[in-house]
Amino acid sequence: MPSALSVAIAGFFLGASLIIAIGAQNAFILRLGLARQHVFVCCLICALSDALLIVAGVAGLGSLISGNSFFLNLAKWGGIAFLTAYALFAFHRAVKPQALDTENGVPDAGTLRAAVATCLALTFLNPHVYLDTVILLGSISTRYDPEVRSFFGGGAVVASFAWFFSLGYGARLLQPLFAKPVSWRVLDIGIGCVMLAIAWSLLKAH
């Protein structure tokens, strides 16, 4: 039987490989980090949400969800609708981009309540999150004995926390680049394209 440390390391790297891929959560956290608004709270929400789903998957919920066609269809179409709407908002922002003003804190990321609601929606209305955390990580965890399975989930949870906080606070290193409105335009267009690509992949999925 593999050691608890080796299982935790495997969980960390697998979790990181899934989380680091450009997606809805990452794009939103990057934007908040650049604006220096609500960074800690939203990073914590994204990490805790992922942790909850990872623990659920390792505990066996993944197998239950993958066999429920009603839930899968509900998640699929709800995710498509939300991601498409978010993409349209991003394209709208790109029409009149703002520069990054470190003294005045613009462009404004909205209220804390709105940011929290967006974080939760990007997490729980995106079926890809369930596929990556609950189903994929949950199914892979079954390869390990029950005695060390929790360490696999723990490693993936640590990867989630490390990534979101690194992304949120590391985004400040890009501030000189985003001092120009054109950079925000490119970012928002990119965010919109990512959201539409994810929505399209859901639409084409069987």
Coordinates of all heavy atoms in Angstrom, one line a residue, residues 51-120:
A51 N -13.0 22.5 -2.1 CA -12.7 21.5 -1.0 C -14.0 20.7 -0.7 O -13.9 19.5 -0.5 CB -12.2 22.3 0.2
L52 N -15.1 21.4 -0.6 CA -16.4 20.7 -0.3 C -16.7 19.7 -1.4 O -17.1 18.5 -1.1 CB -17.5 21.7 -0.2 CG -18.9 21.2 0.0 CD1 -19.0 20.5 1.3 CD2 -19.9 22.3 -0.1
L53 N -16.5 20.1 -2.7 CA -16.8 19.1 -3.8 C -15.8 18.0 -3.8 O -16.2 16.9 -4.1 CB -16.8 19.9 -5.1 CG -18.0 21.0 -5.2 CD1 -17.8 21.8 -6.5 CD2 -19.3 20.3 -5.2
I54 N -14.6 18.3 -3.6 CA -13.5 17.2 -3.6 C -13.8 16.2 -2.5 O -13.8 15.0 -2.7 CB -12.1 17.8 -3.4 CG1 -11.7 18.6 -4.6 CG2 -11.1 16.7 -3.1 CD1 -10.5 19.5 -4.4
V55 N -14.1 16.7 -1.3 CA -14.5 15.8 -0.2 C -15.7 14.9 -0.5 O -15.7 13.7 -0.2 CB -14.7 16.6 1.1 CG1 -15.2 15.7 2.2 CG2 -13.4 17.2 1.6
A56 N -16.7 15.6 -1.1 CA -17.9 14.8 -1.5 C -17.6 13.7 -2.5 O -18.1 12.6 -2.4 CB -18.9 15.8 -2.1
G57 N -16.7 14.1 -3.5 CA -16.3 13.1 -4.5 C -15.6 11.9 -3.9 O -15.8 10.8 -4.2
V58 N -14.6 12.2 -3.0 CA -13.8 11.2 -2.4 C -14.7 10.3 -1.5 O -14.5 9.1 -1.3 CB -12.6 11.8 -1.6 CG1 -11.9 10.7 -0.8 CG2 -11.7 12.5 -2.5
A59 N -15.7 10.9 -0.9 CA -16.6 10.2 -0.1 C -17.6 9.3 -0.8 O -18.4 8.5 -0.2 CB -17.4 11.2 0.8
G60 N -17.6 9.4 -2.2 CA -18.5 8.5 -3.0 C -19.6 9.2 -3.7 O -20.4 8.5 -4.4
L61 N -19.8 10.5 -3.6 CA -20.9 11.2 -4.3 C -20.7 11.1 -5.8 O -21.7 11.2 -6.5 CB -21.0 12.6 -3.8 CG -22.2 13.4 -4.3 CD1 -23.5 12.8 -3.9 CD2 -22.1 14.9 -3.8
G62 N -19.5 11.1 -6.3 CA -19.2 11.1 -7.7 C -20.0 10.0 -8.5 O -20.6 10.2 -9.5
S63 N -19.9 8.8 -7.9 CA -20.6 7.6 -8.5 C -22.1 7.8 -8.6 O -22.8 7.5 -9.6 CB -20.3 6.4 -7.7 OG -18.9 6.1 -7.7
L64 N -22.7 8.4 -7.5 CA -24.1 8.7 -7.5 C -24.5 9.7 -8.6 O -25.5 9.5 -9.3 CB -24.5 9.2 -6.1 CG -26.0 9.5 -5.9 CD1 -26.8 8.3 -6.0 CD2 -26.2 10.1 -4.5
I65 N -23.8 10.8 -8.7 CA -24.1 11.8 -9.7 C -24.0 11.3 -11.1 O -24.8 11.6 -11.9 CB -23.2 13.1 -9.4 CG1 -23.6 13.7 -8.1 CG2 -23.4 14.1 -10.6 CD1 -22.7 14.9 -7.8
S66 N -22.9 10.6 -11.4 CA -22.7 10.2 -12.8 C -23.8 9.2 -13.3 O -23.9 9.1 -14.5 CB -21.3 9.5 -12.8 OG -21.3 8.3 -12.0
G67 N -24.5 8.6 -12.3 CA -25.6 7.7 -12.7 C -27.0 8.4 -12.8 O -28.0 7.7 -13.0
N68 N -27.0 9.7 -12.5 CA -28.3 10.4 -12.4 C -28.4 11.3 -13.6 O -27.9 12.4 -13.7 CB -28.4 11.2 -11.1 CG -29.8 11.8 -10.9 OD1 -30.5 12.2 -11.8 ND2 -30.2 11.8 -9.6
S69 N -29.2 10.9 -14.7 CA -29.3 11.6 -15.9 C -30.0 13.0 -15.7 O -29.7 14.0 -16.4 CB -30.0 10.8 -17.0 OG -31.3 10.4 -16.5
F70 N -31.0 13.0 -14.8 CA -31.7 14.2 -14.6 C -30.8 15.3 -14.0 O -30.8 16.5 -14.5 CB -32.9 14.0 -13.6 CG -33.6 15.3 -13.1 CD1 -34.5 15.9 -14.0 CD2 -33.3 15.8 -11.9 CE1 -35.1 17.1 -13.6 CE2 -33.9 17.0 -11.5 CZ -34.8 17.6 -12.3
F71 N -30.0 15.0 -13.0 CA -29.1 16.0 -12.5 C -28.1 16.4 -13.5 O -27.7 17.6 -13.6 CB -28.4 15.4 -11.2 CG -27.4 16.3 -10.6 CD1 -27.9 17.3 -9.7 CD2 -26.1 16.3 -10.9 CE1 -27.0 18.2 -9.1 CE2 -25.2 17.2 -10.3 CZ -25.7 18.1 -9.4
L72 N -27.6 15.5 -14.3 CA -26.5 15.9 -15.3 C -27.1 16.8 -16.3 O -26.5 17.8 -16.7 CB -26.0 14.6 -16.0 CG -25.1 13.7 -15.1 CD1 -24.8 12.4 -15.9 CD2 -23.9 14.4 -14.6
N73 N -28.4 16.6 -16.8 CA -29.0 17.4 -17.7 C -29.3 18.8 -17.2 O -29.1 19.8 -17.8 CB -30.3 16.8 -18.3 CG -30.0 15.7 -19.3 OD1 -29.1 15.8 -20.0 ND2 -30.9 14.7 -19.3
L74 N -29.7 18.8 -15.9 CA -30.0 20.1 -15.2 C -28.8 20.9 -15.1 O -28.7 22.1 -15.4 CB -30.6 19.8 -13.9 CG -31.0 21.1 -13.0 CD1 -32.1 21.9 -13.7 CD2 -31.4 20.7 -11.6
A75 N -27.7 20.3 -14.7 CA -26.4 21.0 -14.5 C -25.9 21.5 -15.9 O -25.4 22.6 -16.0 CB -25.4 20.1 -13.9
K76 N -26.1 20.7 -16.9 CA -25.6 21.0 -18.2 C -26.2 22.3 -18.8 O -25.6 23.2 -19.2 CB -25.8 19.8 -19.2 CG -25.5 20.2 -20.7 CD -25.8 19.0 -21.6 CE -25.6 19.3 -23.0 NZ -25.9 18.2 -23.9
W77 N -27.6 22.3 -18.8 CA -28.3 23.5 -19.4 C -28.2 24.7 -18.5 O -28.2 25.8 -19.0 CB -29.7 23.1 -19.7 CG -29.8 22.1 -20.8 CD1 -30.1 20.7 -20.7 CD2 -29.5 22.3 -22.2 NE1 -30.0 20.1 -21.9 CE2 -29.6 21.0 -22.8 CE3 -29.1 23.4 -22.9 CZ2 -29.4 20.9 -24.2 CZ3 -28.9 23.2 -24.3 CH2 -29.0 22.0 -24.9
G78 N -28.2 24.5 -17.2 CA -28.0 25.6 -16.3 C -26.7 26.3 -16.5 O -26.5 27.5 -16.5
G79 N -25.7 25.4 -16.6 CA -24.3 25.9 -16.8 C -24.2 26.6 -18.2 O -23.5 27.7 -18.2
I80 N -24.8 26.1 -19.2 CA -24.7 26.8 -20.5 C -25.3 28.2 -20.5 O -24.8 29.1 -21.0 CB -25.4 25.9 -21.6 CG1 -24.6 24.6 -21.9 CG2 -25.6 26.7 -22.9 CD1 -25.3 23.6 -22.8
A81 N -26.5 28.3 -19.8 CA -27.2 29.6 -19.7 C -26.3 30.6 -18.9 O -26.2 31.7 -19.3 CB -28.5 29.4 -19.1
F82 N -25.8 30.1 -17.8 CA -25.0 31.1 -17.0 C -23.7 31.5 -17.6 O -23.4 32.7 -17.6 CB -24.7 30.4 -15.6 CG -23.8 31.3 -14.8 CD1 -24.4 32.4 -14.1 CD2 -22.5 31.0 -14.6 CE1 -23.5 33.2 -13.3 CE2 -21.7 31.8 -13.9 CZ -22.2 32.9 -13.2
L83 N -23.0 30.6 -18.2 CA -21.7 30.9 -18.8 C -21.9 31.8 -20.0 O -21.1 32.7 -20.3 CB -21.0 29.6 -19.3 CG -20.5 28.7 -18.1 CD1 -20.1 27.4 -18.6 CD2 -19.4 29.4 -17.4
T84 N -23.0 31.6 -20.8 CA -23.3 32.5 -21.9 C -23.6 33.9 -21.5 O -23.1 34.9 -22.1 CB -24.4 31.9 -22.7 OG1 -24.1 30.6 -23.2 CG2 -24.7 32.8 -24.0
A85 N -24.4 34.0 -20.4 CA -24.7 35.3 -19.9 C -23.5 36.0 -19.4 O -23.3 37.2 -19.6 CB -25.8 35.2 -18.8
Y86 N -22.6 35.3 -18.7 CA -21.4 35.9 -18.1 C -20.5 36.4 -19.3 O -19.8 37.4 -19.2 CB -20.7 34.9 -17.2 CG -19.6 35.6 -16.4 CD1 -19.9 36.2 -15.2 CD2 -18.3 35.7 -16.9 CE1 -18.9 36.8 -14.4 CE2 -17.3 36.3 -16.1 CZ -17.6 36.9 -14.9 OH -16.6 37.5 -14.2
A87 N -20.4 35.6 -20.3 CA -19.6 36.0 -21.5 C -20.1 37.3 -22.1 O -19.3 38.1 -22.5 CB -19.6 34.8 -22.5
L88 N -21.4 37.4 -22.2 CA -22.0 38.6 -22.8 C -21.7 39.8 -21.9 O -21.4 40.9 -22.4 CB -23.5 38.5 -22.9 CG -24.0 37.4 -23.9 CD1 -25.5 37.3 -23.9 CD2 -23.4 37.8 -25.3
F89 N -21.7 39.7 -20.6 CA -21.3 40.8 -19.7 C -19.8 41.1 -19.9 O -19.4 42.3 -19.9 CB -21.5 40.4 -18.2 CG -23.0 40.4 -17.8 CD1 -23.6 39.3 -17.3 CD2 -23.7 41.6 -17.9 CE1 -24.9 39.4 -16.9 CE2 -25.0 41.7 -17.5 CZ -25.6 40.6 -17.0
A90 N -19.0 40.1 -20.1 CA -17.5 40.4 -20.3 C -17.3 41.2 -21.6 O -16.6 42.1 -21.7 CB -16.8 39.1 -20.3
F91 N -18.1 40.8 -22.7 CA -17.9 41.5 -23.9 C -18.5 42.9 -23.8 O -17.9 43.9 -24.4 CB -18.7 40.7 -25.0 CG -18.1 39.4 -25.4 CD1 -18.9 38.3 -25.6 CD2 -16.7 39.3 -25.6 CE1 -18.3 37.1 -26.0 CE2 -16.2 38.1 -25.9 CZ -17.0 37.0 -26.2
H92 N -19.5 43.1 -23.0 CA -20.0 44.5 -22.7 C -19.0 45.3 -22.1 O -18.8 46.5 -22.4 CB -21.3 44.4 -21.9 CG -21.9 45.7 -21.6 ND1 -22.5 46.5 -22.5 CD2 -21.9 46.4 -20.4 CE1 -22.9 47.6 -21.9 NE2 -22.5 47.6 -20.6
R93 N -18.3 44.8 -21.1 CA -17.2 45.5 -20.4 C -16.1 45.9 -21.4 O -15.4 46.9 -21.2 CB -16.6 44.7 -19.2 CG -17.5 44.6 -18.0 CD -16.7 44.1 -16.8 NE -16.0 42.9 -17.1 CZ -16.4 41.7 -16.8 NH1 -17.6 41.5 -16.2 NH2 -15.7 40.6 -17.0
A94 N -15.8 45.0 -22.3 CA -14.7 45.2 -23.3 C -15.0 46.4 -24.2 O -14.1 47.0 -24.8 CB -14.5 44.0 -24.1
V95 N -16.3 46.8 -24.3 CA -16.6 47.9 -25.2 C -16.1 49.2 -24.7 O -15.6 50.1 -25.4 CB -18.2 48.0 -25.4 CG1 -18.6 49.2 -26.2 CG2 -18.7 46.7 -26.1
K96 N -16.2 49.4 -23.3 CA -15.7 50.6 -22.7 C -14.8 50.2 -21.5 O -15.2 50.3 -20.4 CB -16.9 51.4 -22.2 CG -17.8 52.0 -23.3 CD -18.9 52.9 -22.7 CE -19.7 53.5 -23.8 NZ -20.8 54.4 -23.3
P97 N -13.6 49.8 -21.8 CA -12.7 49.3 -20.8 C -12.1 50.5 -20.0 O -12.1 51.6 -20.5 CB -11.5 48.6 -21.6 CG -11.5 49.3 -22.9 CD -13.0 49.7 -23.2
Q98 N -11.7 50.2 -18.7 CA -11.1 51.2 -17.9 C -9.6 50.8 -17.7 O -9.2 49.7 -17.8 CB -11.8 51.3 -16.5 CG -13.3 51.7 -16.6 CD -13.9 51.6 -15.2 OE1 -14.2 50.5 -14.8 NE2 -14.2 52.7 -14.6
A99 N -8.8 51.8 -17.3 CA -7.4 51.5 -17.0 C -7.4 51.2 -15.5 O -8.3 51.5 -14.7 CB -6.6 52.8 -17.2
L100 N -6.3 50.6 -15.1 CA -6.1 50.2 -13.7 C -5.5 51.4 -13.0 O -4.3 51.7 -13.2 CB -5.2 49.0 -13.6 CG -4.9 48.5 -12.2 CD1 -6.2 48.0 -11.5 CD2 -3.9 47.4 -12.2
D101 N -6.2 52.0 -12.0 CA -5.8 53.1 -11.2 C -5.5 52.6 -9.8 O -6.5 52.3 -9.1 CB -6.8 54.2 -11.3 CG -6.3 55.5 -10.5 OD1 -5.4 55.3 -9.7 OD2 -6.8 56.5 -10.8
T102 N -4.3 52.4 -9.4 CA -4.0 51.8 -8.1 C -4.4 52.7 -7.0 O -4.7 52.2 -5.9 CB -2.5 51.4 -8.0 OG1 -1.8 52.6 -8.2 CG2 -2.1 50.4 -9.0
E103 N -4.5 54.0 -7.2 CA -4.9 54.9 -6.1 C -6.4 54.9 -5.9 O -6.9 55.0 -4.8 CB -4.3 56.3 -6.4 CG -2.8 56.4 -6.4 CD -2.3 57.8 -6.7 OE1 -3.2 58.7 -6.9 OE2 -1.1 58.0 -6.6
N104 N -7.1 54.9 -7.0 CA -8.6 55.0 -6.9 C -9.3 53.7 -6.9 O -10.5 53.6 -6.7 CB -9.1 55.9 -8.0 CG -8.6 57.4 -7.9 OD1 -8.4 57.8 -6.7 ND2 -8.3 58.0 -9.0
G105 N -8.5 52.6 -7.2 CA -9.1 51.3 -7.2 C -10.1 51.0 -8.3 O -11.1 50.4 -8.1
V106 N -9.8 51.5 -9.5 CA -10.7 51.2 -10.6 C -9.8 50.3 -11.6 O -8.6 50.4 -11.6 CB -11.2 52.5 -11.3 CG1 -12.1 53.3 -10.4 CG2 -10.0 53.4 -11.8
P107 N -10.5 49.5 -12.4 CA -11.9 49.4 -12.6 C -12.6 48.7 -11.4 O -12.1 47.8 -10.9 CB -12.1 48.6 -13.9 CG -10.8 47.8 -13.9 CD -9.7 48.7 -13.3
D108 N -13.8 49.2 -11.1 CA -14.6 48.7 -10.0 C -15.1 47.3 -10.3 O -15.6 47.0 -11.3 CB -15.8 49.6 -9.7 CG -16.5 49.2 -8.5 OD1 -15.9 49.1 -7.4 OD2 -17.7 49.0 -8.5
A109 N -14.9 46.4 -9.3 CA -15.3 45.0 -9.4 C -16.7 44.8 -8.8 O -17.2 43.7 -8.8 CB -14.3 44.1 -8.7
G110 N -17.4 45.8 -8.4 CA -18.7 45.7 -7.9 C -18.7 45.5 -6.4 O -17.6 45.5 -5.7
T111 N -19.9 45.3 -5.8 CA -20.0 45.1 -4.3 C -19.5 43.8 -3.9 O -19.4 42.8 -4.7 CB -21.4 45.3 -3.9 OG1 -22.2 44.2 -4.5 CG2 -22.0 46.7 -4.3
L112 N -19.2 43.6 -2.6 CA -18.8 42.3 -2.1 C -19.9 41.3 -2.3 O -19.6 40.1 -2.6 CB -18.4 42.5 -0.6 CG -18.1 41.2 0.1 CD1 -16.8 40.5 -0.5 CD2 -17.8 41.4 1.6
R113 N -21.1 41.7 -2.1 CA -22.2 40.8 -2.2 C -22.3 40.2 -3.7 O -22.5 39.0 -3.9 CB -23.5 41.4 -1.9 CG -24.8 40.6 -2.0 CD -26.0 41.3 -1.6 NE -26.0 41.6 -0.2 CZ -27.0 42.2 0.4 NH1 -28.1 42.5 -0.2 NH2 -26.9 42.4 1.7
A114 N -22.1 41.1 -4.6 CA -22.2 40.7 -6.0 C -21.0 39.8 -6.4 O -21.2 38.8 -7.1 CB -22.1 42.0 -6.9
A115 N -19.8 40.1 -5.8 CA -18.6 39.3 -6.1 C -18.8 37.9 -5.5 O -18.5 36.9 -6.1 CB -17.4 40.0 -5.5
V116 N -19.3 37.8 -4.3 CA -19.6 36.5 -3.6 C -20.6 35.7 -4.4 O -20.4 34.5 -4.7 CB -20.0 36.7 -2.2 CG1 -20.6 35.4 -1.6 CG2 -18.9 37.3 -1.3
A117 N -21.7 36.4 -4.9 CA -22.7 35.7 -5.6 C -22.1 35.1 -6.9 O -22.4 34.0 -7.4 CB -23.9 36.6 -5.9
T118 N -21.3 35.9 -7.6 CA -20.6 35.5 -8.8 C -19.7 34.3 -8.6 O -19.7 33.3 -9.4 CB -19.9 36.6 -9.5 OG1 -20.7 37.7 -9.7 CG2 -19.2 36.2 -10.8
C119 N -18.9 34.3 -7.5 CA -18.1 33.2 -7.2 C -18.8 31.9 -7.0 O -18.5 30.9 -7.5 CB -17.3 33.5 -5.9 SG -15.8 34.5 -6.1
L120 N -19.9 32.0 -6.2 CA -20.7 30.9 -6.0 C -21.4 30.3 -7.2 O -21.5 29.1 -7.5 CB -21.8 31.2 -4.9 CG -21.3 31.5 -3.5 CD1 -22.4 32.0 -2.6 CD2 -20.6 30.2 -2.9

